[in-house]
PDB file of all heavy atoms in Angstrom:
ATOM      1  N   HIS O   1      -8.256  -7.867  -2.872  1.00  0.00           N
ATOM      2  CA  HIS O   1      -8.206  -6.512  -2.327  1.00  0.00           C
ATOM      3  C   HIS O   1      -8.406  -5.462  -3.417  1.00  0.00           C
ATOM      4  O   HIS O   1      -9.010  -4.422  -3.168  1.00  0.00           O
ATOM      5  CB  HIS O   1      -6.854  -6.295  -1.641  1.00  0.00           C
ATOM      6  CG  HIS O   1      -6.640  -4.902  -1.175  1.00  0.00           C
ATOM      7  ND1 HIS O   1      -7.194  -4.422  -0.021  1.00  0.00           N
ATOM      8  CD2 HIS O   1      -5.957  -3.875  -1.720  1.00  0.00           C
ATOM      9  CE1 HIS O   1      -6.842  -3.161   0.130  1.00  0.00           C
ATOM     10  NE2 HIS O   1      -6.087  -2.807  -0.885  1.00  0.00           N
ATOM     11  N   ALA O   2      -7.935  -5.735  -4.602  1.00  0.00           N
ATOM     12  CA  ALA O   2      -7.981  -4.758  -5.693  1.00  0.00           C
ATOM     13  C   ALA O   2      -9.404  -4.355  -6.041  1.00  0.00           C
ATOM     14  O   ALA O   2      -9.631  -3.246  -6.510  1.00  0.00           O
ATOM     15  CB  ALA O   2      -7.266  -5.311  -6.926  1.00  0.00           C
ATOM     16  N   VAL O   3     -10.356  -5.227  -5.767  1.00  0.00           N
ATOM     17  CA  VAL O   3     -11.744  -4.913  -6.092  1.00  0.00           C
ATOM     18  C   VAL O   3     -12.252  -3.753  -5.246  1.00  0.00           C
ATOM     19  O   VAL O   3     -12.879  -2.844  -5.749  1.00  0.00           O
ATOM     20  CB  VAL O   3     -12.633  -6.168  -5.881  1.00  0.00           C
ATOM     21  CG1 VAL O   3     -14.095  -5.833  -6.062  1.00  0.00           C
ATOM     22  CG2 VAL O   3     -12.209  -7.271  -6.836  1.00  0.00           C
ATOM     23  N   GLY O   4     -11.924  -3.732  -3.949  1.00  0.00           N
ATOM     24  CA  GLY O   4     -12.483  -2.705  -3.082  1.00  0.00           C
ATOM     25  C   GLY O   4     -11.479  -1.745  -2.479  1.00  0.00           C
ATOM     26  O   GLY O   4     -11.872  -0.769  -1.865  1.00  0.00           O
ATOM     27  N   GLY O   5     -10.201  -1.972  -2.626  1.00  0.00           N
ATOM     28  CA  GLY O   5      -9.217  -1.151  -1.937  1.00  0.00           C
ATOM     29  C   GLY O   5      -8.226  -0.463  -2.842  1.00  0.00           C
ATOM     30  O   GLY O   5      -7.044  -0.434  -2.557  1.00  0.00           O
ATOM     31  N   ARG O   6      -8.686   0.129  -3.894  1.00  0.00           N
ATOM     32  CA  ARG O   6      -7.783   0.752  -4.870  1.00  0.00           C
ATOM     33  C   ARG O   6      -6.984   1.912  -4.291  1.00  0.00           C
ATOM     34  O   ARG O   6      -5.863   2.145  -4.706  1.00  0.00           O
ATOM     35  CB  ARG O   6      -8.568   1.239  -6.085  1.00  0.00           C
ATOM     36  CG  ARG O   6      -9.210   0.147  -6.898  1.00  0.00           C
ATOM     37  CD  ARG O   6      -8.233  -0.696  -7.616  1.00  0.00           C
ATOM     38  NE  ARG O   6      -7.648   0.039  -8.712  1.00  0.00           N
ATOM     39  CZ  ARG O   6      -6.647  -0.389  -9.435  1.00  0.00           C
ATOM     40  NH1 ARG O   6      -6.116  -1.551  -9.182  1.00  0.00           N
ATOM     41  NH2 ARG O   6      -6.152   0.324 -10.402  1.00  0.00           N
ATOM     42  N   ALA O   7      -7.512   2.644  -3.324  1.00  0.00           N
ATOM     43  CA  ALA O   7      -6.802   3.806  -2.782  1.00  0.00           C
ATOM     44  C   ALA O   7      -5.484   3.396  -2.151  1.00  0.00           C
ATOM     45  O   ALA O   7      -4.449   4.029  -2.378  1.00  0.00           O
ATOM     46  CB  ALA O   7      -7.673   4.545  -1.774  1.00  0.00           C
ATOM     47  N   VAL O   8      -5.496   2.326  -1.378  1.00  0.00           N
ATOM     48  CA  VAL O   8      -4.266   1.845  -0.743  1.00  0.00           C
ATOM     49  C   VAL O   8      -3.293   1.367  -1.809  1.00  0.00           C
ATOM     50  O   VAL O   8      -2.100   1.662  -1.755  1.00  0.00           O
ATOM     51  CB  VAL O   8      -4.559   0.708   0.256  1.00  0.00           C
ATOM     52  CG1 VAL O   8      -3.278   0.089   0.770  1.00  0.00           C
ATOM     53  CG2 VAL O   8      -5.400   1.222   1.411  1.00  0.00           C
ATOM     54  N   GLU O   9      -3.790   0.653  -2.779  1.00  0.00           N
ATOM     55  CA  GLU O   9      -2.936   0.156  -3.857  1.00  0.00           C
ATOM     56  C   GLU O   9      -2.309   1.312  -4.636  1.00  0.00           C
ATOM     57  O   GLU O   9      -1.124   1.281  -4.966  1.00  0.00           O
ATOM     58  CB  GLU O   9      -3.759  -0.729  -4.793  1.00  0.00           C
ATOM     59  CG  GLU O   9      -2.942  -1.389  -5.871  1.00  0.00           C
ATOM     60  CD  GLU O   9      -3.770  -2.277  -6.771  1.00  0.00           C
ATOM     61  OE1 GLU O   9      -4.879  -2.663  -6.386  1.00  0.00           O
ATOM     62  OE2 GLU O   9      -3.299  -2.570  -7.867  1.00  0.00           O
ATOM     63  N   ILE O  10      -3.078   2.335  -4.895  1.00  0.00           N
ATOM     64  CA  ILE O  10      -2.562   3.495  -5.629  1.00  0.00           C
ATOM     65  C   ILE O  10      -1.447   4.169  -4.830  1.00  0.00           C
ATOM     66  O   ILE O  10      -0.400   4.518  -5.378  1.00  0.00           O
ATOM     67  CB  ILE O  10      -3.704   4.482  -5.955  1.00  0.00           C
ATOM     68  CG1 ILE O  10      -4.608   3.874  -7.033  1.00  0.00           C
ATOM     69  CG2 ILE O  10      -3.159   5.831  -6.397  1.00  0.00           C
ATOM     70  CD1 ILE O  10      -5.918   4.599  -7.245  1.00  0.00           C
ATOM     71  N   ARG O  11      -1.640   4.329  -3.514  1.00  0.00           N
ATOM     72  CA  ARG O  11      -0.587   4.919  -2.682  1.00  0.00           C
ATOM     73  C   ARG O  11       0.661   4.054  -2.677  1.00  0.00           C
ATOM     74  O   ARG O  11       1.778   4.562  -2.695  1.00  0.00           O
ATOM     75  CB  ARG O  11      -1.089   5.128  -1.249  1.00  0.00           C
ATOM     76  CG  ARG O  11      -2.004   6.313  -1.107  1.00  0.00           C
ATOM     77  CD  ARG O  11      -2.245   6.671   0.341  1.00  0.00           C
ATOM     78  NE  ARG O  11      -2.830   5.617   1.136  1.00  0.00           N
ATOM     79  CZ  ARG O  11      -4.113   5.316   1.228  1.00  0.00           C
ATOM     80  NH1 ARG O  11      -4.991   6.004   0.522  1.00  0.00           N
ATOM     81  NH2 ARG O  11      -4.547   4.351   1.999  1.00  0.00           N
ATOM     82  N   ALA O  12       0.502   2.751  -2.649  1.00  0.00           N
ATOM     83  CA  ALA O  12       1.652   1.846  -2.594  1.00  0.00           C
ATOM     84  C   ALA O  12       2.528   1.955  -3.838  1.00  0.00           C
ATOM     85  O   ALA O  12       3.717   1.640  -3.785  1.00  0.00           O
ATOM     86  CB  ALA O  12       1.181   0.406  -2.408  1.00  0.00           C
ATOM     87  N   PHE O  13       1.963   2.407  -4.947  1.00  0.00           N
ATOM     88  CA  PHE O  13       2.721   2.519  -6.194  1.00  0.00           C
ATOM     89  C   PHE O  13       2.859   3.963  -6.655  1.00  0.00           C
ATOM     90  O   PHE O  13       3.065   4.235  -7.829  1.00  0.00           O
ATOM     91  CB  PHE O  13       2.078   1.642  -7.273  1.00  0.00           C
ATOM     92  CG  PHE O  13       2.085   0.191  -6.906  1.00  0.00           C
ATOM     93  CD1 PHE O  13       0.956  -0.428  -6.399  1.00  0.00           C
ATOM     94  CD2 PHE O  13       3.253  -0.555  -7.018  1.00  0.00           C
ATOM     95  CE1 PHE O  13       0.976  -1.768  -6.030  1.00  0.00           C
ATOM     96  CE2 PHE O  13       3.281  -1.888  -6.641  1.00  0.00           C
ATOM     97  CZ  PHE O  13       2.140  -2.495  -6.155  1.00  0.00           C
ATOM     98  N   SER O  14       2.772   4.886  -5.706  1.00  0.00           N
ATOM     99  CA  SER O  14       2.903   6.312  -6.008  1.00  0.00           C
ATOM    100  C   SER O  14       4.324   6.643  -6.458  1.00  0.00           C
ATOM    101  O   SER O  14       5.294   6.047  -5.986  1.00  0.00           O
ATOM    102  CB  SER O  14       2.585   7.124  -4.750  1.00  0.00           C
ATOM    103  OG  SER O  14       2.909   8.477  -4.929  1.00  0.00           O
ATOM    104  N   PRO O  15       4.478   7.626  -7.351  1.00  0.00           N
ATOM    105  CA  PRO O  15       5.827   8.060  -7.735  1.00  0.00           C
ATOM    106  C   PRO O  15       6.536   8.815  -6.607  1.00  0.00           C
ATOM    107  O   PRO O  15       7.757   8.932  -6.614  1.00  0.00           O
ATOM    108  CB  PRO O  15       5.594   8.970  -8.945  1.00  0.00           C
ATOM    109  CG  PRO O  15       4.155   9.330  -8.904  1.00  0.00           C
ATOM    110  CD  PRO O  15       3.441   8.257  -8.142  1.00  0.00           C
ATOM    111  N   ASP O  16       5.781   9.303  -5.611  1.00  0.00           N
ATOM    112  CA  ASP O  16       6.368   9.954  -4.445  1.00  0.00           C
ATOM    113  C   ASP O  16       6.851   8.854  -3.496  1.00  0.00           C
ATOM    114  O   ASP O  16       6.055   8.096  -2.954  1.00  0.00           O
ATOM    115  CB  ASP O  16       5.321  10.826  -3.755  1.00  0.00           C
ATOM    116  CG  ASP O  16       5.842  11.545  -2.531  1.00  0.00           C
ATOM    117  OD1 ASP O  16       6.657  10.961  -1.773  1.00  0.00           O
ATOM    118  OD2 ASP O  16       5.431  12.696  -2.307  1.00  0.00           O
ATOM    119  N   VAL O  17       8.144   8.752  -3.301  1.00  0.00           N
ATOM    120  CA  VAL O  17       8.724   7.641  -2.549  1.00  0.00           C
ATOM    121  C   VAL O  17       8.187   7.554  -1.125  1.00  0.00           C
ATOM    122  O   VAL O  17       7.969   6.463  -0.610  1.00  0.00           O
ATOM    123  CB  VAL O  17      10.269   7.688  -2.579  1.00  0.00           C
ATOM    124  CG1 VAL O  17      10.811   8.853  -1.776  1.00  0.00           C
ATOM    125  CG2 VAL O  17      10.862   6.385  -2.078  1.00  0.00           C
ATOM    126  N   HIS O  18       7.943   8.675  -0.485  1.00  0.00           N
ATOM    127  CA  HIS O  18       7.429   8.658   0.886  1.00  0.00           C
ATOM    128  C   HIS O  18       5.998   8.123   0.939  1.00  0.00           C
ATOM    129  O   HIS O  18       5.657   7.331   1.819  1.00  0.00           O
ATOM    130  CB  HIS O  18       7.511  10.057   1.504  1.00  0.00           C
ATOM    131  CG  HIS O  18       8.911  10.566   1.580  1.00  0.00           C
ATOM    132  ND1 HIS O  18       9.839  10.070   2.470  1.00  0.00           N
ATOM    133  CD2 HIS O  18       9.554  11.505   0.859  1.00  0.00           C
ATOM    134  CE1 HIS O  18      10.988  10.689   2.298  1.00  0.00           C
ATOM    135  NE2 HIS O  18      10.848  11.565   1.316  1.00  0.00           N
ATOM    136  N   VAL O  19       5.183   8.539  -0.004  1.00  0.00           N
ATOM    137  CA  VAL O  19       3.814   8.045  -0.100  1.00  0.00           C
ATOM    138  C   VAL O  19       3.826   6.550  -0.432  1.00  0.00           C
ATOM    139  O   VAL O  19       3.074   5.760   0.150  1.00  0.00           O
ATOM    140  CB  VAL O  19       3.006   8.835  -1.157  1.00  0.00           C
ATOM    141  CG1 VAL O  19       1.635   8.208  -1.398  1.00  0.00           C
ATOM    142  CG2 VAL O  19       2.871  10.290  -0.737  1.00  0.00           C
ATOM    143  N   ALA O  20       4.698   6.159  -1.355  1.00  0.00           N
ATOM    144  CA  ALA O  20       4.780   4.756  -1.766  1.00  0.00           C
ATOM    145  C   ALA O  20       5.216   3.854  -0.613  1.00  0.00           C
ATOM    146  O   ALA O  20       4.668   2.763  -0.436  1.00  0.00           O
ATOM    147  CB  ALA O  20       5.735   4.601  -2.940  1.00  0.00           C
ATOM    148  N   LEU O  21       6.192   4.300   0.171  1.00  0.00           N
ATOM    149  CA  LEU O  21       6.644   3.491   1.302  1.00  0.00           C
ATOM    150  C   LEU O  21       5.531   3.306   2.326  1.00  0.00           C
ATOM    151  O   LEU O  21       5.275   2.194   2.786  1.00  0.00           O
ATOM    152  CB  LEU O  21       7.874   4.109   1.952  1.00  0.00           C
ATOM    153  CG  LEU O  21       9.159   4.010   1.149  1.00  0.00           C
ATOM    154  CD1 LEU O  21      10.259   4.827   1.805  1.00  0.00           C
ATOM    155  CD2 LEU O  21       9.588   2.568   0.984  1.00  0.00           C
ATOM    156  N   ALA O  22       4.857   4.388   2.672  1.00  0.00           N
ATOM    157  CA  ALA O  22       3.753   4.294   3.630  1.00  0.00           C
ATOM    158  C   ALA O  22       2.621   3.437   3.062  1.00  0.00           C
ATOM    159  O   ALA O  22       2.046   2.596   3.766  1.00  0.00           O
ATOM    160  CB  ALA O  22       3.242   5.686   3.987  1.00  0.00           C
ATOM    161  N   GLY O  23       2.305   3.628   1.787  1.00  0.00           N
ATOM    162  CA  GLY O  23       1.258   2.841   1.150  1.00  0.00           C
ATOM    163  C   GLY O  23       1.606   1.370   1.060  1.00  0.00           C
ATOM    164  O   GLY O  23       0.741   0.505   1.221  1.00  0.00           O
ATOM    165  N   SER O  24       2.873   1.062   0.828  1.00  0.00           N
ATOM    166  CA  SER O  24       3.313  -0.336   0.755  1.00  0.00           C
ATOM    167  C   SER O  24       3.171  -1.033   2.102  1.00  0.00           C
ATOM    168  O   SER O  24       2.747  -2.182   2.173  1.00  0.00           O
ATOM    169  CB  SER O  24       4.764  -0.412   0.287  1.00  0.00           C
ATOM    170  OG  SER O  24       4.869   0.044  -1.033  1.00  0.00           O
ATOM    171  N   VAL O  25       3.519  -0.317   3.161  1.00  0.00           N
ATOM    172  CA  VAL O  25       3.369  -0.876   4.508  1.00  0.00           C
ATOM    173  C   VAL O  25       1.896  -1.111   4.803  1.00  0.00           C
ATOM    174  O   VAL O  25       1.504  -2.181   5.277  1.00  0.00           O
ATOM    175  CB  VAL O  25       4.003   0.053   5.572  1.00  0.00           C
ATOM    176  CG1 VAL O  25       3.598  -0.362   6.974  1.00  0.00           C
ATOM    177  CG2 VAL O  25       5.514   0.072   5.422  1.00  0.00           C
ATOM    178  N   GLU O  26       1.065  -0.132   4.486  1.00  0.00           N
ATOM    179  CA  GLU O  26      -0.374  -0.254   4.715  1.00  0.00           C
ATOM    180  C   GLU O  26      -0.966  -1.408   3.912  1.00  0.00           C
ATOM    181  O   GLU O  26      -1.760  -2.206   4.424  1.00  0.00           O
ATOM    182  CB  GLU O  26      -1.059   1.057   4.343  1.00  0.00           C
ATOM    183  CG  GLU O  26      -2.521   1.110   4.667  1.00  0.00           C
ATOM    184  CD  GLU O  26      -3.160   2.442   4.313  1.00  0.00           C
ATOM    185  OE1 GLU O  26      -2.453   3.384   3.914  1.00  0.00           O
ATOM    186  OE2 GLU O  26      -4.394   2.531   4.423  1.00  0.00           O
ATOM    187  N   LEU O  27      -0.562  -1.529   2.663  1.00  0.00           N
ATOM    188  CA  LEU O  27      -1.054  -2.615   1.805  1.00  0.00           C
ATOM    189  C   LEU O  27      -0.627  -3.973   2.344  1.00  0.00           C
ATOM    190  O   LEU O  27      -1.432  -4.899   2.422  1.00  0.00           O
ATOM    191  CB  LEU O  27      -0.547  -2.420   0.372  1.00  0.00           C
ATOM    192  CG  LEU O  27      -0.987  -3.455  -0.647  1.00  0.00           C
ATOM    193  CD1 LEU O  27      -2.508  -3.488  -0.778  1.00  0.00           C
ATOM    194  CD2 LEU O  27      -0.343  -3.169  -2.002  1.00  0.00           C
ATOM    195  N   ALA O  28       0.627  -4.087   2.749  1.00  0.00           N
ATOM    196  CA  ALA O  28       1.114  -5.357   3.304  1.00  0.00           C
ATOM    197  C   ALA O  28       0.319  -5.746   4.545  1.00  0.00           C
ATOM    198  O   ALA O  28      -0.053  -6.914   4.719  1.00  0.00           O
ATOM    199  CB  ALA O  28       2.603  -5.241   3.635  1.00  0.00           C
ATOM    200  N   MET O  29       0.042  -4.776   5.398  1.00  0.00           N
ATOM    201  CA  MET O  29      -0.735  -5.059   6.609  1.00  0.00           C
ATOM    202  C   MET O  29      -2.144  -5.521   6.257  1.00  0.00           C
ATOM    203  O   MET O  29      -2.643  -6.483   6.832  1.00  0.00           O
ATOM    204  CB  MET O  29      -0.770  -3.823   7.503  1.00  0.00           C
ATOM    205  CG  MET O  29       0.588  -3.487   8.102  1.00  0.00           C
ATOM    206  SD  MET O  29       0.681  -1.870   8.901  1.00  0.00           S
ATOM    207  CE  MET O  29      -0.508  -2.035  10.203  1.00  0.00           C
ATOM    208  N   GLU O  30      -2.776  -4.844   5.300  1.00  0.00           N
ATOM    209  CA  GLU O  30      -4.130  -5.224   4.888  1.00  0.00           C
ATOM    210  C   GLU O  30      -4.173  -6.611   4.259  1.00  0.00           C
ATOM    211  O   GLU O  30      -5.174  -7.308   4.351  1.00  0.00           O
ATOM    212  CB  GLU O  30      -4.704  -4.196   3.927  1.00  0.00           C
ATOM    213  CG  GLU O  30      -5.110  -2.917   4.610  1.00  0.00           C
ATOM    214  CD  GLU O  30      -5.952  -2.040   3.719  1.00  0.00           C
ATOM    215  OE1 GLU O  30      -6.503  -2.526   2.713  1.00  0.00           O
ATOM    216  OE2 GLU O  30      -6.054  -0.848   4.043  1.00  0.00           O
ATOM    217  N   LEU O  31      -3.073  -7.000   3.617  1.00  0.00           N
ATOM    218  CA  LEU O  31      -3.030  -8.311   2.960  1.00  0.00           C
ATOM    219  C   LEU O  31      -2.645  -9.425   3.923  1.00  0.00           C
ATOM    220  O   LEU O  31      -2.599 -10.584   3.544  1.00  0.00           O
ATOM    221  CB  LEU O  31      -2.057  -8.271   1.782  1.00  0.00           C
ATOM    222  CG  LEU O  31      -2.496  -7.380   0.629  1.00  0.00           C
ATOM    223  CD1 LEU O  31      -1.396  -7.303  -0.421  1.00  0.00           C
ATOM    224  CD2 LEU O  31      -3.786  -7.895   0.009  1.00  0.00           C
ATOM    225  N   GLY O  32      -2.334  -9.062   5.170  1.00  0.00           N
ATOM    226  CA  GLY O  32      -2.048 -10.075   6.174  1.00  0.00           C
ATOM    227  C   GLY O  32      -0.602 -10.520   6.240  1.00  0.00           C
ATOM    228  O   GLY O  32      -0.300 -11.576   6.785  1.00  0.00           O
ATOM    229  N   VAL O  33       0.309  -9.724   5.707  1.00  0.00           N
ATOM    230  CA  VAL O  33       1.733 -10.051   5.813  1.00  0.00           C
ATOM    231  C   VAL O  33       2.129  -9.937   7.276  1.00  0.00           C
ATOM    232  O   VAL O  33       1.726  -8.999   7.973  1.00  0.00           O
ATOM    233  CB  VAL O  33       2.580  -9.081   4.943  1.00  0.00           C
ATOM    234  CG1 VAL O  33       4.061  -9.341   5.123  1.00  0.00           C
ATOM    235  CG2 VAL O  33       2.184  -9.200   3.482  1.00  0.00           C
ATOM    236  N   ALA O  34       2.903 -10.893   7.758  1.00  0.00           N
ATOM    237  CA  ALA O  34       3.345 -10.887   9.151  1.00  0.00           C
ATOM    238  C   ALA O  34       4.131  -9.611   9.436  1.00  0.00           C
ATOM    239  O   ALA O  34       4.947  -9.181   8.619  1.00  0.00           O
ATOM    240  CB  ALA O  34       4.210 -12.109   9.436  1.00  0.00           C
ATOM    241  N   SER O  35       3.884  -9.008  10.597  1.00  0.00           N
ATOM    242  CA  SER O  35       4.510  -7.721  10.911  1.00  0.00           C
ATOM    243  C   SER O  35       6.032  -7.786  10.900  1.00  0.00           C
ATOM    244  O   SER O  35       6.691  -6.801  10.558  1.00  0.00           O
ATOM    245  CB  SER O  35       4.013  -7.192  12.251  1.00  0.00           C
ATOM    246  OG  SER O  35       4.366  -8.076  13.286  1.00  0.00           O
ATOM    247  N   ASP O  36       6.610  -8.933  11.236  1.00  0.00           N
ATOM    248  CA  ASP O  36       8.069  -9.040  11.231  1.00  0.00           C
ATOM    249  C   ASP O  36       8.636  -9.125   9.812  1.00  0.00           C
ATOM    250  O   ASP O  36       9.836  -8.994   9.615  1.00  0.00           O
ATOM    251  CB  ASP O  36       8.543 -10.216  12.077  1.00  0.00           C
ATOM    252  CG  ASP O  36       8.052 -11.556  11.577  1.00  0.00           C
ATOM    253  OD1 ASP O  36       6.932 -11.616  11.027  1.00  0.00           O
ATOM    254  OD2 ASP O  36       8.774 -12.544  11.738  1.00  0.00           O
TER     255      ASP O  36
END
């Protein structure tokens, strides 16, 4: 994913906790983590 999806990865590790939480959820979904 890192090759083509840097924007999501950057949000997932943002210093803004709200952005990071949303980005982490988005990244997990893109990586195929089970929704539960």
Side-chain angles (χ1 to χ4, degrees):
H1 174 79
V3 174
R6 295 291 288 172
V8 172
E9 185 179 342
I10 289 168
R11 284 192 301 277
F13 298 100
S14 170
D16 180 323
V17 69
H18 299 288
V19 172
L21 288 172
S24 294
V25 168
E26 186 179 354
L27 181 60
M29 292 169 62
E30 286 193 18
L31 293 174
V33 176
S35 62
D36 62 327

